[in-house]
């Protein structure tokens, strides 16, 4: 006996359920996740200031870290099909994350490095251009919103040169993303976009030659040269430092409650460096004297307050390491940072000039592994249970002779259809197909099929050419066949819904 009554009720309910699940977890949960994450303007406005009376508003800067769009170098051990599927799902997730971030309507966007996962690798100009164009398609932005980039170690390389890393990685980066060291003014704040990888490389080279900082001649147009020239000029506006590599801190220092796991530890490896060196970090803070520091590279969130000396005075500066925007960077919930900058004409003397807050995005891997897979298993159990115990009527096939002399297979359920006795059919010499006798009168039967019968006759003719048709029809009426048919009917509309959402996300 079936657990559920047989019919289309179970199929339709599961179909509707899965459509709602797809709509929520592919669209709704993104808007819901950042609904309560707003620009921190309230922390900058004076308590007695009428918001409607001010002539200008805080400028909103969106900080994005480590999108690292993947390519063929990212997972070399995977086959073509798995690599393509991984790239498709990661790109789709980045598009949804980016769309969610843009819903905050930023005035300025800054990428904190590692735009590409394999930007430093050896590849042809055509491949790099296609890689860069893919980045631009994912992170499409209105032309009236300024966007800035700083280089990461995955963009330009870092440390020892290996055969896989391109010698033209830096020049390619500059040609596509712009100058690696920049100084821009936003809302009466000076944003310093700093090339941390080249700074780390140059400082390592200086230490290798055992030269002091004072005796070292900076590389022209390099990070150290930029830092010294910046320090030589007076700056009235508050300085905010943007660096891909976080600044040094002692091992084991906590990162605050918003970090998912562990802490940010100093370390160096092939092509990466977790933090700048201790003296390099202090020197950078001394030369720039920033009011705040924002970094990337670590992928997880981290807050840390640095204490350093400037001309004998002790200063403190808070550094925020921004979460990655990608789902495949070893954090369950990606994110981005909202930074509000207060223009000089509406600043309050008792309030800071800037404020920031992190926004967390949905756990895409969790949706796949904790939501979709368990719900799929439960749905399969329901489909199996609803079909359990179903008895398929036994059908027999018999060879019958028809009055017109033709023969054919007749399907019956537990019985044989009877036909007029053969004694009524005119037979013998001179008889013609289609003639028969009823009550002593000779009659002719019109055996020409009507126009409505032709499709069925053509279908029967085609089926007769397939030796396994009877077995296939029998399988479809069996318990496994009905289960597979129900799974097909349930999955069609949810998959179509997913396809429409994917099309909408990738084209709008």
């Amino acid at each position: 006996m079936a657990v559920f009554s047989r019919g289309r009720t179970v199929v339709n309910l599961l179909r509707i359920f899965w459509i709602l699940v797809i709509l929520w977890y592919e669209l709704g949960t993104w808007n819901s996740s950042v609904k309560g994450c707003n620009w921190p303007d309230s922390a900058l406005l004076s308590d007695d200031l009428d918001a409607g009376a001010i002539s200008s508003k805080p400028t909103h800067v969106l900080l994005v870290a480590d999108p690292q769009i993947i390519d063929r170098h990212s997972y070399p051990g995977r086959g073509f099909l798995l690599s393509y599927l991984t790239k498709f799902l990661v790109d789709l997730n980045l598009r949804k994350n980016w769309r969610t971030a843009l819903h905050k309507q930023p005035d300025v966007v800054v990428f904190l490095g590692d735009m590409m996962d394999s930007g430093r690798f050896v590849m042809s100009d055509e491949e790099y251009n296609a890689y860069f164009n893919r980045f631009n398609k994912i992170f499409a932005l209105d032309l009236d919103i300024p966007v800035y980039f700083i280089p990461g170690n995955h963009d330009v390389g870092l440390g020892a040169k290996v055969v896989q890393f391109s010698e033209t990685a830096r020049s390619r980066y500059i040609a596509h993303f712009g100058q690696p060291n920049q100084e821009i003014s936003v809302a009466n704040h000076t944003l310093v976009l700093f090339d941390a990888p080249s700074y780390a490389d140059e400082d390592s080279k200086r230490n290798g030659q055992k030269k002091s900082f004072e005796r070292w001649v900076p590389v022209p147009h390099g990070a150290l040269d930029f830092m010294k020239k910046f320090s030589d000029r007076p700056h009235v506006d508050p300085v905010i430092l943007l660096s891909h590599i976080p600044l040094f801190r002692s091992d084991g220092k906590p990162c605050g409650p918003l970090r998912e796991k562990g802490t940010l530890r100093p370390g160096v490896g092939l092509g990466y460096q977790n933090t700048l060196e201790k003296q390099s970090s202090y020197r950078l803070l001394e030369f720039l004297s920033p009011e705040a520091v924002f970094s990337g590279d670590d992928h997880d969130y981290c807050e840390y307050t640095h204490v350093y000396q400037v001309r004998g005075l002790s200063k403190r500066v808070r550094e925020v390491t921004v979460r990655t925007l990608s789902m495949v960077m070893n954090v369950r919930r990606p994110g981005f940072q909202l930074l509000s900058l207060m223009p000089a004409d509406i600043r309050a003397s008792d309030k800071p000039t800037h404020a920031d807050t992190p926004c967390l995005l949905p756990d895409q891997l969790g949706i796949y592994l904790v939501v979709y897979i368990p719900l799929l298993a439960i749905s399969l159990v329901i489909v199996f249970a609803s079909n359990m115990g179903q008895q398929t009527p036994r059908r027999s096939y018999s060879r019958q002779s028809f009055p017109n002399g033709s023969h054919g297979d007749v399907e019956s359920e537990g019985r044989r259809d009877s036909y007029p006795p053969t004694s009524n059919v005119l037979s013998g010499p001179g008889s013609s197909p289609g003639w028969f006798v009823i009550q002593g009168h000779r009659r002719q039967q019109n055996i020409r099929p009507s126009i409505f019968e032709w499709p069925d006759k053509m279908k029967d003719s085609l089926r007769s050419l397939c030796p396994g048709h009877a077995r296939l029809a029998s399988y479809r009426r069996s318990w496994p066949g009905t289960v597979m048919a129900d799974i097909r009917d349930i999955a069609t509309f949810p998959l179509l819904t997913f396809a429409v959402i994917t099309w909408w996300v990738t084209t709008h």
Side-chain angles (χ1 to χ4, degrees):
M1 182 177 180
V3 178
F4 301 99
S5 61
R6 185 69 181 125
R8 305 301 293 174
T9 303
V10 172
V11 171
N12 289 331
L13 287 177
L14 285 175
R15 181 185 292 163
I16 295 172
F17 171 76
W18 270 103
I19 290 175
L20 295 177
V21 167
I22 295 296
L23 286 173
W24 172 251
Y25 283 104
E26 295 300 322
L27 282 181
T29 186
W30 260 259
N31 295 329
S32 175
S33 65
V34 296
K35 188 176 182 180
C37 184
N38 300 310
W39 297 98
D41 296 349
S42 59
L44 307 178
L45 297 174
S46 177
D47 297 333
D48 56 354
L49 182 65
D50 183 6
I54 59 177
S55 58
S56 59
K57 298 182 181 297
T59 298
H60 297 151
V61 181
L62 172 64
L63 301 179
V64 179
D66 306 281
Q68 286 188 225
I69 60 171
I70 62 176
D71 75 334
R72 63 182 179 88
H73 300 90
S74 301
Y75 302 101
R78 299 184 180 182
F80 171 78
L81 183 60
L82 185 56
S83 295
Y84 177 82
L85 179 62
T86 302
K87 185 174 72 172
F88 171 79
L89 292 177
V90 172
D91 283 5
L92 179 61
N93 175 259
L94 283 174
R95 289 177 186 271
K96 290 188 289 187
N97 292 346
W98 177 242
R99 287 178 58 86
T100 304
L102 288 186
H103 285 166
K104 298 302 178 181
Q105 299 179 334
D107 300 310
V108 181
V109 177
V110 179
F111 284 86
L112 299 177
D114 279 1
M115 281 68 71
M116 298 175 173
D117 189 46
S118 306
R120 59 188 173 180
F121 277 83
V122 174
M123 63 181 71
S124 65
D125 291 340
E126 292 76 12
E127 184 178 2
Y128 189 88
N129 289 334
Y131 202 4
F132 176 73
N133 291 335
R134 188 168 132 240
F135 174 87
N136 286 333
K137 288 181 180 179
I138 294 174
F139 296 99
L141 190 64
D142 292 340
L143 296 178
D144 57 344
I145 300 179
V147 57
Y148 302 94
F149 306 91
I150 58 175
N153 55 301
H154 282 264
D155 300 312
V156 297
L158 175 64
K161 304 300 181 183
V162 296
V163 66
Q164 296 93 336
F165 295 169
S166 173
E167 295 182 355
T168 63
R170 180 167 292 276
S171 60
R172 285 188 317 204
Y173 172 89
I174 294 174
H176 291 79
F177 291 100
Q179 291 299 320
N181 293 291
Q182 298 184 62
E183 173 188 345
I184 60 175
S185 179
V186 179
N188 304 113
H189 289 75
T190 300
L191 271 58
V192 176
L193 312 181
F194 191 65
D195 182 4
S198 71
Y199 179 56
D201 276 342
E202 186 173 356
D203 219 37
S204 176
K205 185 178 180 181
R206 179 185 62 81
N207 289 328
Q209 296 182 13
K210 301 185 183 303
K211 289 187 178 181
S212 65
F213 179 77
E214 290 73 19
R215 293 178 54 231
W216 178 258
V217 179
V219 175
H221 308 294
L224 188 55
D225 183 46
F226 171 83
M227 185 178 75
K228 284 188 172 183
K229 290 179 179 178
F230 181 90
S231 177
D232 292 339
R233 299 190 304 270
H235 294 86
V236 178
D237 294 334
V239 175
I240 295 179
L241 172 61
L242 304 174
S243 166
H244 175 69
I245 303 176
L247 305 187
F248 176 84
R249 73 284 314 272
S250 300
D251 193 9
K253 293 294 183 180
C255 282
L258 296 181
R259 189 175 179 86
E260 285 191 8
K261 54 187 176 182
T263 187
L264 203 166
R265 300 178 181 276
V268 179
L270 181 61
Y272 75 90
Q273 185 170 324
N274 292 342
T275 65
L276 294 175
E277 295 294 337
K278 183 177 181 179
Q279 294 303 320
S280 302
S281 299
Y282 289 156
R283 190 176 298 113
L284 181 61
L285 293 175
E286 179 183 351
F287 273 60
L288 302 185
S289 190
E291 297 290 329
V293 180
F294 294 94
S295 57
D297 186 64
D298 184 64
H299 302 162
D300 205 346
Y301 188 85
C302 186
E303 284 190 31
Y304 181 75
T305 300
H306 300 276
V307 180
Y308 64 101
Q309 299 289 325
V310 178
R311 300 181 183 89
L313 298 177
S314 179
K315 297 191 67 174
R316 300 167 65 89
V317 62
R318 171 175 167 267
E319 178 183 355
V320 173
T321 301
V322 180
R323 277 180 185 254
T324 176
L325 194 72
S326 175
M327 61 177 279
V328 290
M329 296 298 146
N330 297 319
V331 292
R332 299 304 297 266
R333 298 193 64 180
F336 52 87
Q337 200 80 6
L338 302 180
L339 172 63
S340 293
L341 303 178
M342 184 66 79
D345 58 340
I346 56 173
R347 288 176 187 169
S349 59
D350 59 339
K351 296 289 184 178
T353 66
H354 70 275
D356 64 276
T357 187
C359 295
L360 299 181
L361 294 161
D363 177 7
Q364 182 72 82
L365 285 175
I367 291 174
Y368 291 151
L369 300 177
V370 182
V371 178
Y372 288 166
I373 291 181
L375 287 181
L376 176 61
I378 294 173
S379 299
L380 291 176
V381 170
I382 293 175
V383 171
F384 290 152
S386 68
N387 285 276
M388 192 176 298
Q390 293 297 317
Q391 296 293 329
T392 302
R394 297 185 62 184
R395 300 174 183 268
S396 61
Y397 296 84
S398 59
R399 192 74 173 174
Q400 299 289 345
S401 298
F402 295 94
N404 61 3
S406 62
H407 302 277
D409 291 334
V410 177
E411 178 183 341
S412 61
E413 298 187 10
R415 62 182 177 85
R416 287 183 179 271
D417 293 333
S418 59
Y419 295 91
T422 56
S423 59
N424 287 341
V425 180
L426 184 64
S427 59
S431 62
S432 302
W435 290 89
F436 57 95
V437 176
I438 296 180
Q439 297 180 351
H441 296 280
R442 190 168 181 263
R443 298 285 188 267
Q444 184 179 22
Q445 181 185 20
N446 183 10
I447 62 173
R448 185 175 60 182
S450 70
I451 189 173
F452 300 105
E453 296 175 353
W454 279 110
D456 291 335
K457 286 186 171 293
M458 292 180 64
K459 187 188 300 183
D460 292 340
S461 299
L462 292 175
R463 286 176 175 175
S464 65
L465 299 177
C466 179
H469 169 68
R471 291 192 299 271
L472 179 60
S474 177
Y475 169 76
R476 288 175 176 172
R477 290 188 297 270
S478 66
W479 183 80
T482 56
V483 167
M484 294 304 298
D486 284 353
I487 293 174
R488 176 202 62 201
D489 294 342
I490 293 169
T492 299
F493 285 99
L495 290 177
L496 182 61
T497 303
F498 181 84
V500 171
I501 292 174
T502 300
W503 169 82
W504 184 76
V505 169
T506 55
T507 57
H508 290 75

